[in-house]
Amino acid sequence: MPAGIVVNTPSGQVATESLDGTCDILEAIEAANTDRQVHECPAGHGVDRIILTAGATYLTPKTLRLATSVTIGIADASSGNATISAAPGFSIDPADRWSSCLVYASVKGGAVKLADVTLSQDPSSSVSGACVTRGFFEIRRGHVTGFRQGGIVGYCLPELGCDHETDAEDSTTITVLGSLVDGNRSPRNGGGVFSEGSGATLVVEHSAIVNNVSQLSGGGLYFGGGWNTHRIEHSTVSGNSATAGGGVFVSFAPSTATYLYVFNSTIARNTATSSGGGIEFHGNVDTHAQDVTVMASIISNNTSTTTPEANINADWRGGMFGCDRASLIYVPPALPTPARQTATPCRYDVPDALLGPLMAMGGAANLPVHPLLRGSPAIDAATNDFAEGQQRDSWVALYDPPSPPLWTVFDRLVDGDGDGMAVQDLGAYEANDVWQTELLSVEAKGSGTHGVVMTPDGYDRGAGTTYAANNATGQFVTYIVPIAETGSYAVSVGVRQGSDAGQFQVAVADDASGPWTNVGTVHDTYAASGAFAELNLAANHGFASAGQKRFRFTVTGKNAASAGHRLFLDYVKVKNRFSCPVRAIAAGANHTCALTAGKGVRCWGLGREGQLGGGATENRSSPPSTDVLTGAVAIAAGTAYTCALTSAGGVRCWGFNGLGQLGDGTTVDRASPPATDALTDVKAIAAGGGHTCALTNAGGVRCWGNNHAGQLGDGTLVDRFAPPDRDVLTGVKQITAGGSHTCVLMTNGGVRCWGRNGFGQLGDGTMDDRASPPGGDAIVGVRSVSAGDAHTCVLTDAGGVRCWGHNIDGELGTGKYDPVVAPPLTDVLTGAKAVIAGFNFTCAVTISGGVRCWGYNSDGQLGDDTELNVDRLSPPGFDVLAGANALAVGWGHACALMVSGGVRCWGANADGQLGDGRAPDYSMVPPTTDLGGLGSRCP
C-alpha cells in the first residue's frame, strides 16, 4: 500500500483547493485523480489511500470527484468516524449533473472505498450523498444521512458512459457493509440507496436502511439493475416511506436475468401510499428470469394506506417471488403468496411478528435493528441455519457452541419461546435477557482505562470488559443496554472476582443527563483468587418505556484486602418478569379487565352477566390464564359489560345488554365476545352505566344503549340498540362515558358534556338534562376528561385537577360537600398526569407516578388505610402507591397499571374484582406486589 496522505484540516474548517499550506481533503483527492503531486502534503503523487482524522469534520464547498481507485478512511489504529459534509452554499452547476453530488465516482474497472466515514450535508443544501456511474463503490462502517436528493445513487447506463451491453466488464456495483443509511429524501426513486441500469448491482450486508423517503418508489432501497445477483443480507430496512415499495422497490432492467435474495433480514414498519409497504416487485420479464427470494427473514408490520398489500404487492408482473427457510411474510387472505421453495415452510398468516421498537442492539457497528418480543412466531421458526453472518461481531461465532445453554443475545440459535427447541431467530434479534458487556456501546467513562478482555476460559462467550479505576473511587463506565419492552425486570450482572477488584453501584437512566436511579446496593467483587459470579441487583425494577437505557457502573471503594478498584464485567442480565406485560386496564362496577401487550383481553371479578367474556357467568377471583379476545388495542368496562376495540378499528362488546349497550341490535346478554363488529372505523371507545360511545377515525361521536337522560346525544330520550349511522358531534379527540352522561374533549382542548345533569355534572352552570351536545365548551385548556357516575373531572394542560357535579361524598376534592355546577377556576391538585372519576370517588396519578384518591371510602378504595366509611374531602398530601402509570376505578375498587406492566388493585373485593384470589376480603391499601396470572406468554 503506498503511503497515505494525512489530511490535517481542523474539524470545522472549510476545505479549499488553493495551495494554502494546509493539506486538505480536496487537495488530496486532486492528487489521487490527476496523479499530480500536492506540494504541501508529506507524500508524493500516485496515492491510493487518503487518511482522515477520526472525529474531524471536512466541510467541502463542491463535489469530490473520484476518477481513480482510492480508499478514504481513518488510520488503521483509530476508532470512530470522520465526517465529509457538503458545506453551506455548496456549489452546484445546473449544466453539470454530478455537481449536485457530495461524492462522485466514475472509475471503470477500479474501486472507490470509504471506510469509517460519515457523509452528510448542511441543511441549507440539496444534494445527493454519493453518485456512482462506473466501477465499484463500497462504504464500510459508514453513515449516510440527511441528503435531500438521495443517499447513494448508482447508474450503469450507456448515456452516462457505462455500456454493459457492449462490454460486460463495464459495470457499476454499490456495496453497503456494516453501515447506517438514514434520514435521506429524494424527489425521485430511491430515498436511501438507488441503482439503475443493466450493469448495475446493489448489495447491502450487515446494515440498517432506516427512515428514508422517496416521493416516487423505493423509500429505503431501489433495485433497478440487471444481469446480476443482488442481496440484502443480515440487515434491517425500517421506517422508510414511498408511494410504492416503502421499504424496497424492485424493478430490474428489462431483458435481463436478474435476482434479489433477502437473507436473514428484517423489513418492517415501512409505509407505502399505494401497494408494497415492505417490498414492491415489478418483474420486467420477456424471455428472461427475474426473481425475488426471501430466505429466513421477516417482512411484517409494514403499511399500505390504500390497499391491503401492506407487506408485498399482489401483482409481480411475470416475475417469480419465492420464499425459503421459514420466513414470515404476512399476506392477507385471497392475495397471492410467494412460492414455497423448500421443505421448510414459510408462514403467510402472521399479521404481527411481535417486533420490538427499532433500537441499536450492540455489536461492532451498533446498528439499529428490531428485537423480537416474547411470543413472536419468528422465534423458533427457522431451522438448520448456522451462518456466522448472523453475528454482528465475527469473533463471537468462534466461542459460540452449537447449542447455547443459557444466553440469548446474538446467538445463531435460541430457544426464544421456551419450548425446549433452540433454532434460528430470522434476522430480527431475539427477546434478549443477557447483554455481553464487550458488545455494548460505551457512552461515557471516567479517566480509567476501559478495554475488552479476550480470555476463553471463564467469561461467558470467552470475553468481557475491564475498567481500571486508577485506585480512585467515584469513577464510572456507562453502557447502553437496549430494553425492548416496558415491564418489571429482574436485573443482575456477571462479574469476575479478583484480588485487585473493587466495589461498585449500578444506576440506570433513560439518557445521559439522567435522572439516575440506583439499582440495588453496593456490591464487592474482591476475591483472593479469581472466580466468576452473578450478582443480583434487583428482583423487580420497572422500565416505563422501551429503548436504549444507560447502565452506569460507579466505583464506590474497595475491600480492605483488595489491591485495587478494578471492575471485571462479563454481562448485564435484564430478565422481564412479565412475558406479556399489561398495556391497559379498565374497571366496571365490580369487575376488572386487562389488555396485554399481545393484544389479548382478560377479565376477572363479577361474572353474573357474562361481562368476563369467558362463556360462563361465574365470578373469577384471579385473572384467567388465557385471553377471551385477541387482536384488541383498547378496552372499556361499563357497569356490567365490557367492550374492546380491535386492531382493525372494530367495536365488540359482551355482558349485560338489557339496554342495548352491546350494540348488536338486541337486548340479549352475551357471555362471550361476538365474532363480528358492532361498528367499524373507530379509534376509541367508552363504556358507561348503560350506554356505549365510540370515537370514529374522522373524529365523530356515536353512542348507543340507555338514553333515558339524553346521554346518547341524538336529541331524543329513546334507547338505541345499535350504533347510529351518523355522528352527533365532530371535531373530537377523546370521549368518556359516565353513569348517565357523556363528555368529550374537543380538538381545541375544550370540554362538552350532555345527558343527565341532576348534580351539575355537565358543567354548564345548570342542573337541566341535555339531550344534545352543547354548542360551546364548559372549560378550555384541558388535556383529558373523565366522567364518573355523577361527576366529571379534567386534567388541565398545566397538570391541574378540577372536578364538578355530585359531591355528597367529597369526590370533587374541594374540602366541602357542596355540589359544583360549573368547572371551578382553581385546581384541587397540581402536578398530575392523569385523573379518573369513579362512582363516588376520584383518583389521580402524579407526574412522579404516585397515586392519590379522595371521596367515599366504603371499602378502602382510597388506599390510605384510614377508617372505612369516612370520606376524604380533599386530595391527600401523600401518595398511597408509587410507580403507577395509569388507573382504573369501579364502584368500590381501584386498580393501577404499574410502569413495570403489572397490575395492583385495592378496595372492594366481594366478587373477586381485585384479582388477588382472596375474595371476599377487601384491601385498604394497595398491594406491594403485582397480580399473578398475567405473566403468561403473549400469543
Side-chain angles (χ1 to χ4, degrees):
M1 173 73 70
I5 295 179
V6 178
V7 181
N8 59 13
T9 300
S11 178
Q13 178 173 318
V14 176
T16 70
E17 289 179 316
S18 62
L19 303 181
D20 54 6
T22 299
C23 176
D24 60 44
I25 190 170
L26 286 174
E27 292 167 321
I29 290 176
E30 177 70 10
N33 285 345
T34 64
D35 201 31
R36 178 175 61 83
Q37 182 173 352
V38 178
H39 301 289
E40 300 87 10
C41 294
H45 63 277
V47 300
D48 63 2
R49 187 179 184 197
I50 299 171
I51 299 176
L52 308 180
T53 301
T57 296
Y58 301 93
L59 295 175
T60 64
K62 64 179 186 177
T63 303
L64 305 178
R65 298 174 183 269
L66 307 175
T68 60
S69 294
V70 64
T71 297
I72 303 175
I74 61 177
D76 292 338
S78 300
S79 60
N81 273 39
T83 297
I84 303 173
S85 181
F90 188 84
S91 176
I92 299 176
D93 181 358
D96 181 358
R97 177 175 183 176
W98 311 118
S99 67
S100 62
C101 307
L102 174 60
V103 175
Y104 172 63
S106 182
V107 187
K108 181 180 180 180
V112 172
K113 299 181 180 182
L114 274 60
D116 305 295
V117 171
T118 294
L119 300 180
S120 66
Q121 68 161 56
D122 182 88
S124 65
S125 303
S126 183
V127 300
S128 300
C131 301
V132 188
T133 57
R134 261 179 149 184
F136 181 87
F137 178 84
E138 174 188 290
I139 182 164
R140 183 185 296 268
R141 297 183 304 276
H143 188 189
V144 180
T145 183
F147 291 97
R148 299 185 180 181
Q149 298 292 323
I152 302 175
V153 179
Y155 298 92
C156 182
L157 299 173
E159 61 266 31
L160 300 178
C162 182
D163 193 347
H164 182 75
E165 299 298 328
T166 302
D167 181 358
E169 299 299 319
D170 207 2
S171 62
T172 296
T173 299
I174 295 175
T175 303
V176 182
L177 302 174
S179 296
L180 173 62
V181 179
D182 70 336
N184 302 288
R185 304 178 62 88
S186 176
R188 301 176 297 275
N189 295 319
V193 186
F194 168 88
S195 67
E196 182 181 1
S198 62
T201 303
L202 173 57
V203 174
V204 178
E205 295 183 4
H206 296 274
S207 294
I209 314 297
V210 299
N211 300 329
N212 302 285
V213 177
S214 166
Q215 294 182 17
L216 296 178
S217 300
L221 299 166
Y222 185 98
F223 288 85
W227 287 120
N228 279 298
T229 298
H230 307 258
R231 297 197 312 276
I232 302 173
E233 189 168 356
H234 311 294
S235 295
T236 297
V237 182
S238 180
N240 306 285
S241 61
T243 300
V248 179
F249 189 91
V250 183
S251 181
F252 297 132
S255 302
T256 63
T258 312
Y259 311 93
L260 169 63
Y261 289 94
V262 181
F263 295 100
N264 301 88
S265 293
T266 302
I267 301 175
R269 295 180 180 164
N270 303 283
T271 300
T273 54
S274 60
S275 59
I279 295 181
E280 177 91 359
F281 176 31
H282 289 177
N284 291 313
V285 178
D286 40 34
T287 60
H288 298 84
Q290 294 196 350
D291 297 352
V292 173
T293 303
V294 179
M295 308 178 73
S297 295
I298 294 173
I299 306 176
S300 185
N301 296 38
N302 299 286
T303 301
S304 176
T305 58
T306 60
T307 79
E309 302 161 29
N311 294 304
I312 60 172
N313 59 307
D315 178 12
W316 306 324
R317 305 190 183 186
M320 173 66 181
F321 205 137
C323 188
D324 195 2
R325 285 170 24 198
S327 294
L328 299 182
I329 308 175
Y330 176 63
V331 179
L335 294 181
T337 56
R340 292 177 171 88
Q341 297 182 324
T342 67
T344 308
C346 298
R347 289 189 62 180
Y348 306 122
D349 60 342
V350 183
D352 185 348
L354 289 177
L355 299 176
L358 191 68
M359 64 179 72
M361 299 289 284
N366 200 32
L367 295 170
V369 298
H370 289 285
L372 294 176
L373 303 186
R374 288 168 176 80
S376 169
I379 300 175
D380 290 4
T383 59
N384 301 322
D385 191 325
F386 304 97
E388 291 186 11
Q390 198 171 339
Q391 311 304 321
R392 294 274 169 178
D393 295 83
S394 59
W395 64 266
V396 175
L398 302 178
Y399 301 100
D400 200 9
S403 182
L406 296 175
W407 51 76
T408 59
V409 60
F410 297 118
D411 284 326
R412 296 189 304 278
L413 300 179
V414 58
D415 179 13
D417 62 7
D419 65 356
M421 179 184 297
V423 292
Q424 185 202 348
D425 64 8
L426 277 97
Y429 287 90
E430 54 273 2
N432 299 292
D433 292 333
V434 179
W435 296 96
Q436 310 296 328
T437 55
E438 69 273 12
L439 294 178
L440 293 173
S441 293
V442 178
E443 181 175 73
K445 71 178 187 66
S447 58
T449 301
H450 177 274
V452 174
V453 178
M454 294 292 291
T455 306
D457 295 330
Y459 280 107
D460 189 19
R461 296 188 174 280
T465 57
T466 179
Y467 180 64
N470 298 329
N471 296 322
T473 62
Q475 293 194 29
F476 66 92
V477 58
T478 300
Y479 298 105
I480 297 178
V481 179
I483 301 297
E485 51 194 324
T486 61
S488 177
Y489 286 78
V491 182
S492 57
V493 297
V495 301
R496 195 195 78 177
Q497 300 168 323
S499 59
D500 62 343
Q503 299 167 331
F504 69 89
Q505 170 75 62
V506 172
V508 299
D510 287 340
D511 54 57
S513 61
W516 293 90
T517 302
N518 284 341
V519 181
T521 60
V522 172
H523 284 268
D524 192 342
T525 63
Y526 166 76
S529 59
F532 288 88
E534 182 172 291
L535 306 178
N536 296 320
L537 303 185
N540 186 7
H541 183 83
F543 289 99
S545 61
Q548 300 179 54
K549 307 299 179 182
R550 277 66 180 175
F551 277 62
R552 185 175 65 189
F553 290 75
T554 300
V555 179
T556 59
K558 70 181 184 68
N559 190 294
S562 178
H565 297 72
R566 188 182 297 271
L567 301 182
F568 299 94
L569 304 175
D570 195 358
Y571 57 82
V572 178
K573 180 185 290 186
V574 281
K575 186 173 181 61
N576 196 332
R577 296 179 64 246
F578 290 91
S579 298
C580 196
V582 175
R583 294 291 189 236
I585 53 176
N590 298 297
H591 75 290
T592 308
C593 295
L595 174 66
T596 71
K599 300 182 180 180
V601 177
R602 304 181 187 186
C603 302
W604 58 93
L606 183 65
R608 184 174 58 221
E609 313 297 340
Q611 58 264 55
L612 304 187
T617 55
E618 291 85 17
N619 295 355
R620 286 196 62 95
S621 62
S622 60
S625 59
T626 57
D627 302 327
V628 298
L629 180 69
T630 58
V633 294
I635 53 174
T639 298
Y641 71 107
T642 306
C643 294
L645 177 65
T646 71
S647 56
V651 178
R652 303 187 182 187
C653 301
W654 58 95
F656 181 66
N657 195 30
L659 301 165
Q661 56 264 60
L662 303 190
D664 61 4
T666 76
T667 56
V668 178
D669 296 352
R670 181 184 290 274
S672 300
T676 57
D677 302 328
L679 183 65
T680 58
D681 199 31
V682 173
K683 66 179 178 181
I685 53 175
H691 73 294
T692 308
C693 293
L695 177 61
T696 70
N697 284 318
V701 173
R702 303 185 185 187
C703 302
W704 58 94
N706 188 9
N707 197 29
H708 73 281
Q711 56 264 52
L712 303 189
D714 61 5
T716 76
L717 299 180
V718 179
D719 294 350
R720 182 182 291 274
F721 303 153
D725 55 7
R726 293 185 300 174
D727 302 331
V728 299
L729 184 64
T730 58
V732 175
K733 68 177 180 180
Q734 186 214 334
I735 189 165
T736 179
S740 299
H741 73 294
T742 306
C743 294
V744 299
L745 177 64
M746 307 297 291
T747 55
N748 66 353
V751 172
R752 303 183 185 186
C753 302
W754 58 92
R756 181 164 173 76
N757 197 29
F759 298 96
Q761 56 263 52
L762 303 188
D764 61 3
T766 76
M767 292 188 179
D768 300 324
D769 294 354
R770 178 184 292 274
S772 300
D777 302 327
I779 185 175
V780 296
V782 171
R783 190 186 310 171
S784 67
V785 59
S786 177
D789 182 64
H791 74 293
T792 305
C793 295
V794 297
L795 177 69
T796 69
D797 287 340
V801 173
R802 302 182 187 185
C803 303
W804 59 90
H806 186 278
N807 197 31
I808 294 176
D809 300 294
E811 57 265 49
L812 302 188
T814 59
K816 303 176 182 179
Y817 284 112
D818 301 326
V820 176
V821 298
L825 300 178
T826 57
D827 304 328
V828 297
L829 181 67
T830 58
K833 69 176 181 180
V835 64
I836 185 164
F839 184 75
N840 50 7
F841 69 107
T842 305
C843 292
V845 183
T846 67
I847 293 175
S848 62
V851 174
R852 303 185 184 189
C853 301
W854 57 95
Y856 195 45
N857 197 31
S858 59
D859 299 280
Q861 59 262 52
L862 302 190
D864 59 7
D865 202 22
T866 59
E867 185 179 352
L868 296 183
N869 296 312
V870 175
D871 303 333
R872 179 180 288 277
L873 305 185
S874 302
F878 57 90
D879 300 332
V880 298
L881 179 66
N885 199 37
L887 293 170
V889 298
W891 277 6
H893 76 292
C895 294
L897 176 59
M898 309 300 291
V899 294
S900 65
V903 177
R904 302 184 186 186
C905 302
W906 60 97
N909 197 27
D911 301 300
Q913 55 264 53
L914 301 190
D916 59 8
R918 299 176 181 176
D921 295 341
Y922 58 81
S923 176
M924 297 175 62
V925 294
T928 57
T929 58
D930 300 332
L931 280 182
L934 290 170
S936 60
R937 298 188 182 277
C938 293

